Amino acid sequence: MKPRKILLMGLRRSGKSSIQKVVFHKLPPNETLFLESTSKLTKDHISSFIDFSVWDFPGQVDVFDTAFDFESIFNQVGALVFVIDAQDDYLEALSRLYITISRAVAINPQIFIEVFIHKVDGLSDDFKIDTQRDIQQRTQDELSDAGLENVSLSFHLTSIFDHSIFEAFSRVIQKLIPQLPALENLLNIFCSNSLVEKAFLFDVYSKIYVATDSSPVDVQSYEICSDVIDVILDFGSIYGTSNSSKPTDDSEAIAQRYPIDEASSVIRLSTGLVLFLREVNQFLALVCIIRAENFEKSGLVEYNVQCFQKAVQKIFQL
C-alpha cells in the first residue's frame, strides 16, 4: 500500500508546525511557543497502522511557484489541511485558500480539503461559531461562483491546548482509510453484543481515533477515552522493557521503547461507568465506555474483544 500524503498549508504563524509537533511527536503544547517559523518544506513520514506522510509548507512559499512541480505533488495527495488563524484577520488566508483549492482540485479532483480554523482556545463559544460560519460562507460563495460546488470541503474548530486538534485530525485520517466502513461495522457489532455504550479504535501514539461506532461522538467521551491512552503510555514508559536508549520521534521506535503488548486496563469511575482498554496490535487499541452493571459479565466482553481483534487483523491483511 502506497503511503498517503497530507499537505499542511496556510499563512505564516498560523500554527501548522505546532499542530504537527503536538499530534505526531507528543510535544507539550506550551513548548510550541519556542518553535521557529518553518523556513523550508518539511516531510514527516509517520509509521503507524497505515503509512502516511505529512508535508508542512512554509507560509511564505507559494506552492504553485514554477520552482515546485506542483502537479506531481498534488497528484499523490490524499488530503490538504489548510490552517487559518482565527485570532488574526483571515481575509488574506481566505484568498490563499480559494486559490489553493481551485488549483489543487484541477489537478486532483479526489483530494479532500480540510480547513482548520485554528487557535480558537482564546475565543468565546459565540465568537467561534460566528467565525466558522463567516469563513465557511465566504469560501463556499467563492467556490460556487467559480463552479466548484462539488469540492470535498470540511471545516474544523481546533486548538492544540485541548482535544479538538486530535478530533479534527481523526476525521482527516479516517477519510484516507479504505477499510473504514468495515471497521465501523465491526465496532457496531461489538458494541451491540457487549452492551458497550461507546467504542473507539485508537492509534495509540498519536491519539487519533481510526474508527468509532455509529453512535454520535460526544466530546467528553472522546476526551476521557483519549486520556486512558496517556495513562497506559505513562505506565509503559516507566515499567516497559526499554530496547533503545536514544530518543526518537519515530512511532515504531516509540513502540519498541514503550511496549504495550497485550496491554489491558479497566478503570471504574464514580459515575457508574467503566473505561476498558485492550491492545489490538502494535499500533491500535480498543477503548470502550461500559456501564458497570453491563461489565459484570466481563468474560463475555473479553471474548468479543478477541473476536474483534482477529477480525481487524484480517481486514488489514486483505
Side-chain angles (χ1 to χ4, degrees):
M1 184 180 294
K2 293 183 179 180
R4 296 158 175 83
K5 186 188 299 180
I6 300 173
L7 297 188
L8 268 176
M9 301 182 67
L11 300 184
R12 291 183 72 252
R13 312 303 300 178
S14 59
K16 304 183 300 299
S17 299
S18 298
I19 290 173
Q20 184 179 4
K21 293 296 184 182
V22 168
V23 174
F24 298 110
H25 297 282
K26 300 184 73 65
L27 183 71
N30 291 331
E31 294 186 16
T32 61
L33 299 173
F34 306 104
L35 289 177
E36 296 182 0
S37 181
T38 304
S39 58
K40 62 180 181 179
L41 171 64
T42 60
K43 304 175 184 179
D44 192 8
H45 179 74
I46 310 297
S47 295
S48 184
F49 64 100
I50 59 171
D51 285 338
F52 63 96
S53 57
V54 180
W55 290 26
D56 183 2
F57 276 90
Q60 69 272 19
V61 173
D62 181 4
V63 68
F64 297 104
D65 189 274
T66 55
F68 288 95
D69 184 5
F70 57 85
E71 288 199 15
S72 64
I73 292 174
F74 280 94
N75 267 328
Q76 301 177 13
V77 170
L80 188 157
V81 176
F82 196 95
V83 183
I84 296 177
D85 186 347
Q87 298 187 21
D88 198 4
D89 182 4
Y90 48 75
L91 293 182
E92 182 183 353
L94 289 180
S95 177
R96 177 77 68 87
L97 172 63
Y98 164 69
I99 295 172
T100 302
I101 291 176
S102 59
R103 295 186 180 180
V105 170
I107 298 170
N108 181 0
Q110 306 302 319
I111 192 172
F112 295 104
I113 308 294
E114 309 291 327
V115 180
F116 284 11
I117 304 170
H118 195 49
K119 302 182 183 179
V120 298
D121 48 279
L123 308 178
S124 66
D125 290 340
D126 290 340
F127 195 78
K128 290 179 188 178
I129 296 172
D130 290 341
T131 301
Q132 180 176 7
R133 184 184 297 115
D134 185 46
I135 290 175
Q136 188 167 337
Q137 189 64 53
R138 288 174 182 268
T139 304
Q140 291 176 340
D141 287 346
E142 288 280 2
L143 295 178
S144 179
D145 292 343
L148 298 173
E149 296 94 341
N150 296 325
V151 175
S152 177
L153 183 64
S154 301
F155 296 84
H156 312 266
L157 294 170
T158 61
S159 169
I160 59 172
F161 293 98
D162 56 34
H163 291 77
S164 61
I165 191 60
F166 297 96
E167 164 78 11
F169 244 107
S170 297
R171 302 289 188 181
V172 175
I173 295 296
Q174 287 169 20
K175 294 179 180 179
L176 305 180
I177 304 175
Q179 301 94 338
L180 180 63
L183 292 174
E184 290 178 340
N185 187 46
L186 280 178
L187 286 168
N188 286 332
I189 295 172
F190 170 75
C191 289
S192 175
N193 291 333
S194 306
L195 300 179
V196 168
E197 298 295 309
K198 189 65 183 173
F200 294 93
L201 186 62
F202 275 95
D203 174 64
V204 174
Y205 301 101
S206 66
K207 293 194 298 182
I208 288 173
Y209 68 90
V210 178
T212 184
D213 61 277
S214 58
S215 63
V217 176
D218 176 72
V219 176
Q220 291 182 336
S221 297
Y222 167 69
E223 289 179 352
I224 197 169
C225 289
S226 176
D227 289 341
V228 174
I229 299 290
D230 283 332
V231 171
I232 294 299
L233 284 182
D234 288 343
F235 270 92
S237 66
I238 298 172
Y239 300 108
T241 302
S242 177
N243 296 321
S244 172
S245 60
K246 297 181 180 179
T248 177
D249 288 329
D250 184 77
S251 56
E252 288 186 345
I254 293 175
Q256 294 173 358
R257 287 161 55 207
Y258 307 147
I260 60 165
D261 293 344
E262 301 182 2
S264 180
S265 173
V266 177
I267 301 175
R268 298 181 182 274
L269 305 179
S270 59
T271 57
L273 296 175
V274 174
L275 299 177
F276 176 83
L277 179 145
R278 172 57 60 85
E279 174 245 3
V280 175
N281 59 31
Q282 181 184 10
F283 298 108
L284 299 176
L286 177 68
V287 184
C288 309
I289 299 177
I290 311 173
R291 293 189 182 277
E293 58 269 24
N294 294 332
F295 194 66
E296 292 178 358
K297 298 181 179 180
S298 57
L300 174 63
V301 177
E302 292 282 357
Y303 175 77
N304 289 337
V305 167
Q306 293 176 14
C307 294
F308 175 82
Q309 184 179 20
K310 293 177 182 178
V312 169
Q313 291 172 349
K314 288 181 179 179
I315 286 176
F316 281 104
Q317 285 174 357
L318 294 174

